[in-house]
Amino acid sequence: GLAAANECFYTLTKYGTKLVVQEYNRSTGKLVRKIKSGRWEGQDDGVPVGTLCVSSTHVVVQTGPGMLRVMSTQTGKKLGKIKAAGAAVAVSTMKLLGNDETLVTTQSGGTIVLYNPSTCEEVSRIPHPVTSSSALADSLVQFLDDHLLIENTILSKDGNDASFEKLTTLQSIH
């Protein structure tokens, strides 16, 4: 996986079963530090795509099917673990939104799950027939403070918590 935040870019590397996030300076291309990211607990066939996302406050790495490790971008220290519901649910895409209060994941079975990365708690679960998980990661947008646009669906934030409900589906013009 590859991610960018601040003046750095990040790569996720696997050494045997150990996962390491490498932080590089964007302008010099030099390695700044390595962040130990636990061990890979999935099949030993490389690291799947979409398993790293970085923001100004959080580094999130997938360490196995449905297993996510959350670390501090500042210190590199582990903040917690997220275990997606289901025995071996695949997390195909992850994205940190807005002021880093929401981690959005796309999981197998067409479900979008929102987590608070600081507490590692699930805050909302949205059934959504995903047409393409990689396209979803790029088209996932937060606009205003209380709406999410996921592909062609607008979700409205529900009250003070971080859960979202479906507001409307945009119709494309043919």
Side-chain angles (χ1 to χ4, degrees):
L2 178 68
N6 308 328
E7 298 303 310
C8 302
F9 68 89
Y10 300 81
T11 62
L12 178 60
T13 312
K14 191 163 147 245
Y15 299 101
T17 60
K18 291 186 177 162
L19 295 169
V20 176
V21 173
Q22 296 180 179
E23 179 183 297
Y24 293 88
N25 181 294
R26 202 181 287 200
S27 50
T28 66
K30 287 193 171 21
L31 179 66
V32 178
R33 66 178 170 159
K34 295 179 179 179
I35 302 170
K36 291 180 183 171
S37 305
R39 46 178 0 110
W40 176 246
E41 297 172 29
Q43 295 290 324
D44 197 21
D45 52 1
V47 179
V49 177
T51 53
L52 167 68
C53 71
V54 183
S55 71
S56 59
T57 55
H58 296 95
V59 176
V60 183
V61 171
Q62 184 172 349
T63 58
M67 304 284 286
L68 306 176
R69 181 183 176 109
V70 182
M71 294 154 291
S72 162
T73 306
Q74 267 67 47
T75 65
K77 297 260 188 283
K78 178 180 168 185
L79 298 175
K81 284 201 291 198
I82 294 171
K83 188 166 181 4
V89 66
V91 176
S92 51
T93 60
M94 300 188 292
K95 190 165 183 145
L96 282 154
L97 286 184
N99 53 1
D100 298 336
E101 287 181 4
T102 308
L103 169 69
V104 180
T105 66
T106 309
Q107 299 179 5
S108 56
T111 304
I112 292 161
V113 184
L114 281 62
Y115 296 96
N116 178 328
S118 299
T119 63
C120 296
E121 305 264 318
E122 180 182 315
V123 291
S124 188
R125 182 171 286 260
I126 305 156
H128 186 75
V130 178
T131 52
S132 161
S133 58
S134 58
L136 176 68
D138 297 331
S139 65
L140 200 55
V141 181
Q142 183 181 36
F143 61 99
L144 305 176
D145 290 326
D146 51 1
H147 292 80
L148 277 176
L149 173 65
I150 298 174
E151 290 186 304
N152 62 348
T153 304
I154 297 175
L155 303 163
S156 175
K157 193 165 186 176
D158 188 18
N160 292 328
D161 63 5
S163 64
F164 287 78
E165 63 179 52
K166 185 171 174 177
L167 194 64
T168 186
T169 301
L170 303 176
Q171 300 299 318
S172 56
I173 300 167
H174 296 291

